[in-house]
Amino acid sequence: MSNNNWWRGAVIYQIYPRSFKDSNNDGIGDLPGIIEKLDYVASLGVDAIWLSPFFKSPMKDYGYDVSDYCDVDPMFGTLDDFDHLIKRAHELGIKIILDLVASHTSDQHTWFLESREDRTNDKADWYVWADPKPDGSPPNNWQAFFGGPSWSYNVRRGQYYMHNFLESQPDLNMHNPAVQDAILAQFKFWLDRGVDGFRLDVANCYMHDPLLRDNPPVDDPKPQFFNVDFPTPFTMQDHIYDFSRPENIVFVKRIRALLDQYDNRMSVAEIAFNKDGLGAGADYTRGNDRFHTAYNFSLISGQKASASYIRDALEAYAASDGGWPSWAFSNHDVVRVATRWGGAENTDNPAFIKMLIALLTSLRGTVFLYQGEELGLPEATVPFEKLKDPWGVYLYPKWQGRDGCRTPIPWTNDAMAGFTGAADTWLPIADGQKPLNVAAQEKDPASPLHFTRTFLRWRKNHAALVSGTITFHDTHRDDVLAFTRTHDGQAILCVFNMGEEPVDLTINSQPVTLQGFEAQFSVDGSVAFSSNP
Ligand code: TEU
Ligand code: CA
């Protein structure tokens, strides 16, 4: 049966393959490990899986530096393993979305190895090359997100190449139509293999400013990311790329046209570092010929659970002329929501965790649940000697980087948490996460894991929660969020108490009583579901 809109209101489970399940005891998760756990994923009631990159890679950015888009890195398995994975997932009714990192490649990709040879080879302008200034310094003042200049010198060509991230992640020159064609061919490889869609890594970084203009200086050295004072005297993005560069949208339309040649495929764009924040991605999703949806950053950057914050983010996006929204509280780049919003007091309060799961999956949009979020895993603390994320190593101790959300999933209470038979893992198993292991939660009917299953099943039977409209209500307090979702005459009042004290209030002239951290759903004036019955 054809359902081109399956992704609207879908719950998509993000798997970070290195840390999900290790099948061959080398301490690193892999595709056969994911296959072993597909029944578990299906049991949650999610619709699809977003797989973070498993392509061939020197792993300088843990897979976001691809050296061959059309092969599986041996660390993760083989193409055969991938075929088994997708076949089994489809049997279980789960779609598979791949993470395509098209803005840059690894410096070990054959395209780059060829491009850097000289100034005249076939791929000479597949990357962003520029001559030094007369004094030998980089062509302009652009700064890389992961620190230092965006330019690295290559002796063979006597030129600099541009990279938004690591020196080992050279930026493709997407202004070159041959490069666009080559990237589209990589998409096609996976579409033909049956994948259901793509998450497009930094899709707004595809096009740089061809005039290579300097970025303006930062007026006052204000924090730029993660409330960390990012050490650069220049704004990083202004002229590197522009969120609505006409050439970028032209390329986006080519990607969409390719997807539209297949049935039921979707695209979700990561529009990162977007200065207009709340309206993230509108330009990229407007109409029917751009991306299907864009991953909204508003709720993964907030520092506490706040009704006004969440409402503002959803209303601001709705007021933009963007397409269907996508929301997440956690991913492999940010502090896990249990810690970020829970703080020291509530991180491990199951009632708080359940309320968050209900809240995320009740928002109007497609929602992304990050592995371990269904368990309520807190952020791990990884000691400096064990940090892997180059960004964290660079900014430590101001910021410990992205490893705290990337530690292995605790499946059991065994020494190695049932993740691996090896004596050591690529990132340590977090002690603080172990008590929340899957086996323990399976035994506890009151666990966040059981709640996730129960709620997602209930949600599926209530179309208003999947695809209904959303209307917010004034609660006059920042710890209570309330909205109604409506579809086909069915209206569900959804109320979330984000504080630990019980509350009594009137919403839409209906009296509502909530326990601490309760998520409550009412149909026709009576409570139909509660996270804290
Ligand atoms: O992320 C882009 C990126 O750096 C942001 O997600 C950033 O972490 C966020 O805006 C902070 O608020 C993507 C991948 O998700 C990331 O893992 C890669 O390192 C990066 O691209 C480079 O490919
Ligand atoms: Ca392994």
mmCIF file of all heavy atoms in Angstrom, residues 307 311 473-482 505-507:
data_model
loop_
_atom_site.group_PDB
_atom_site.id
_atom_site.type_symbol
_atom_site.label_atom_id
_atom_site.label_comp_id
_atom_site.label_asym_id
_atom_site.label_seq_id
_atom_site.Cartn_x
_atom_site.Cartn_y
_atom_site.Cartn_z
ATOM 1 N N ALA A 307 7.176 25.864 29.840
ATOM 2 C CA ALA A 307 5.990 25.873 28.982
ATOM 3 C C ALA A 307 6.086 26.964 27.923
ATOM 4 O O ALA A 307 5.805 26.741 26.747
ATOM 5 C CB ALA A 307 4.736 26.057 29.834
ATOM 6 N N ARG A 311 6.108 26.356 23.891
ATOM 7 C CA ARG A 311 5.009 26.960 23.132
ATOM 8 C C ARG A 311 5.544 27.965 22.104
ATOM 9 O O ARG A 311 5.138 27.945 20.937
ATOM 10 C CB ARG A 311 4.039 27.646 24.098
ATOM 11 C CG ARG A 311 2.927 28.376 23.390
ATOM 12 C CD ARG A 311 1.967 29.003 24.367
ATOM 13 N NE ARG A 311 0.961 29.771 23.628
ATOM 14 C CZ ARG A 311 -0.152 30.222 24.172
ATOM 15 N NH1 ARG A 311 -0.420 30.000 25.454
ATOM 16 N NH2 ARG A 311 -1.020 30.917 23.451
ATOM 17 N N HIS A 473 -3.125 26.577 25.034
ATOM 18 C CA HIS A 473 -3.976 27.254 26.012
ATOM 19 C C HIS A 473 -3.087 28.019 26.996
ATOM 20 O O HIS A 473 -1.992 27.564 27.317
ATOM 21 C CB HIS A 473 -4.808 26.238 26.794
ATOM 22 C CG HIS A 473 -5.620 25.345 25.924
ATOM 23 N ND1 HIS A 473 -6.682 25.805 25.170
ATOM 24 C CD2 HIS A 473 -5.508 24.021 25.642
ATOM 25 C CE1 HIS A 473 -7.198 24.805 24.474
ATOM 26 N NE2 HIS A 473 -6.501 23.707 24.735
ATOM 27 N N ASP A 474 -3.638 29.162 27.472
ATOM 28 C CA ASP A 474 -2.907 29.903 28.503
ATOM 29 C C ASP A 474 -3.070 29.180 29.828
ATOM 30 O O ASP A 474 -4.199 28.909 30.246
ATOM 31 C CB ASP A 474 -3.491 31.318 28.648
ATOM 32 C CG ASP A 474 -3.199 32.139 27.397
ATOM 33 O OD1 ASP A 474 -2.124 31.930 26.803
ATOM 34 O OD2 ASP A 474 -4.057 32.951 27.016
ATOM 35 N N THR A 475 -1.962 28.867 30.459
ATOM 36 C CA THR A 475 -2.072 28.246 31.791
ATOM 37 C C THR A 475 -1.629 29.233 32.862
ATOM 38 O O THR A 475 -1.775 28.983 34.042
ATOM 39 C CB THR A 475 -1.180 26.990 31.904
ATOM 40 O OG1 THR A 475 0.177 27.390 31.738
ATOM 41 C CG2 THR A 475 -1.560 25.957 30.863
ATOM 42 N N HIS A 476 -1.073 30.350 32.416
ATOM 43 C CA HIS A 476 -0.582 31.400 33.315
ATOM 44 C C HIS A 476 0.479 30.906 34.275
ATOM 45 O O HIS A 476 0.680 31.473 35.338
ATOM 46 C CB HIS A 476 -1.747 32.055 34.073
ATOM 47 C CG HIS A 476 -2.819 32.547 33.130
ATOM 48 N ND1 HIS A 476 -2.638 33.632 32.314
ATOM 49 C CD2 HIS A 476 -4.049 32.048 32.838
ATOM 50 C CE1 HIS A 476 -3.723 33.806 31.564
ATOM 51 N NE2 HIS A 476 -4.586 32.845 31.860
ATOM 52 N N ARG A 477 1.115 29.832 33.937
ATOM 53 C CA ARG A 477 2.280 29.403 34.738
ATOM 54 C C ARG A 477 3.237 28.642 33.829
ATOM 55 O O ARG A 477 2.820 27.884 32.955
ATOM 56 C CB ARG A 477 1.855 28.598 35.958
ATOM 57 C CG ARG A 477 0.758 27.562 35.701
ATOM 58 C CD ARG A 477 0.219 26.987 36.964
ATOM 59 N NE ARG A 477 1.309 26.410 37.762
ATOM 60 C CZ ARG A 477 1.159 26.043 39.026
ATOM 61 N NH1 ARG A 477 -0.001 26.202 39.649
ATOM 62 N NH2 ARG A 477 2.164 25.504 39.687
ATOM 63 N N ASP A 478 4.527 28.841 34.090
ATOM 64 C CA ASP A 478 5.526 28.319 33.153
ATOM 65 C C ASP A 478 5.819 26.837 33.370
ATOM 66 O O ASP A 478 6.526 26.218 32.590
ATOM 67 C CB ASP A 478 6.818 29.140 33.272
ATOM 68 C CG ASP A 478 7.609 29.096 31.963
ATOM 69 O OD1 ASP A 478 6.978 28.961 30.892
ATOM 70 O OD2 ASP A 478 8.852 29.158 32.023
ATOM 71 N N ASP A 479 5.252 26.271 34.455
ATOM 72 C CA ASP A 479 5.514 24.847 34.690
ATOM 73 C C ASP A 479 4.379 23.962 34.179
ATOM 74 O O ASP A 479 4.426 22.736 34.327
ATOM 75 C CB ASP A 479 5.793 24.579 36.183
ATOM 76 C CG ASP A 479 4.707 25.137 37.079
ATOM 77 O OD1 ASP A 479 3.770 25.806 36.558
ATOM 78 O OD2 ASP A 479 4.779 24.925 38.300
ATOM 79 N N VAL A 480 3.351 24.574 33.590
ATOM 80 C CA VAL A 480 2.267 23.757 33.032
ATOM 81 C C VAL A 480 2.026 24.137 31.572
ATOM 82 O O VAL A 480 1.734 25.291 31.255
ATOM 83 C CB VAL A 480 0.948 23.907 33.829
ATOM 84 C CG1 VAL A 480 -0.130 23.000 33.236
ATOM 85 C CG2 VAL A 480 1.159 23.573 35.305
ATOM 86 N N LEU A 481 2.176 23.148 30.709
ATOM 87 C CA LEU A 481 1.963 23.360 29.280
ATOM 88 C C LEU A 481 0.663 22.666 28.889
ATOM 89 O O LEU A 481 0.417 21.528 29.303
ATOM 90 C CB LEU A 481 3.123 22.745 28.482
ATOM 91 C CG LEU A 481 3.032 22.836 26.953
ATOM 92 C CD1 LEU A 481 3.233 24.269 26.472
ATOM 93 C CD2 LEU A 481 4.065 21.924 26.283
ATOM 94 N N ALA A 482 -0.171 23.352 28.115
ATOM 95 C CA ALA A 482 -1.452 22.745 27.726
ATOM 96 C C ALA A 482 -1.766 23.076 26.280
ATOM 97 O O ALA A 482 -1.556 24.196 25.821
ATOM 98 C CB ALA A 482 -2.568 23.259 28.632
ATOM 99 N N LEU A 505 -5.927 23.602 38.204
ATOM 100 C CA LEU A 505 -6.162 24.812 37.412
ATOM 101 C C LEU A 505 -7.325 24.604 36.456
ATOM 102 O O LEU A 505 -7.875 23.496 36.356
ATOM 103 C CB LEU A 505 -4.892 25.285 36.703
ATOM 104 C CG LEU A 505 -4.281 24.517 35.551
ATOM 105 C CD1 LEU A 505 -3.136 25.325 34.956
ATOM 106 C CD2 LEU A 505 -3.744 23.172 35.969
ATOM 107 N N THR A 506 -7.707 25.700 35.813
ATOM 108 C CA THR A 506 -8.804 25.614 34.866
ATOM 109 C C THR A 506 -8.248 25.896 33.487
ATOM 110 O O THR A 506 -7.579 26.905 33.284
ATOM 111 C CB THR A 506 -9.900 26.646 35.219
ATOM 112 O OG1 THR A 506 -10.273 26.409 36.566
ATOM 113 C CG2 THR A 506 -11.105 26.513 34.317
ATOM 114 N N ILE A 507 -8.487 24.988 32.564
ATOM 115 C CA ILE A 507 -7.988 25.186 31.210
ATOM 116 C C ILE A 507 -9.165 25.112 30.259
ATOM 117 O O ILE A 507 -9.883 24.109 30.266
ATOM 118 C CB ILE A 507 -6.939 24.119 30.842
ATOM 119 C CG1 ILE A 507 -5.722 24.229 31.772
ATOM 120 C CG2 ILE A 507 -6.507 24.255 29.389
ATOM 121 C CD1 ILE A 507 -4.753 23.102 31.647
#
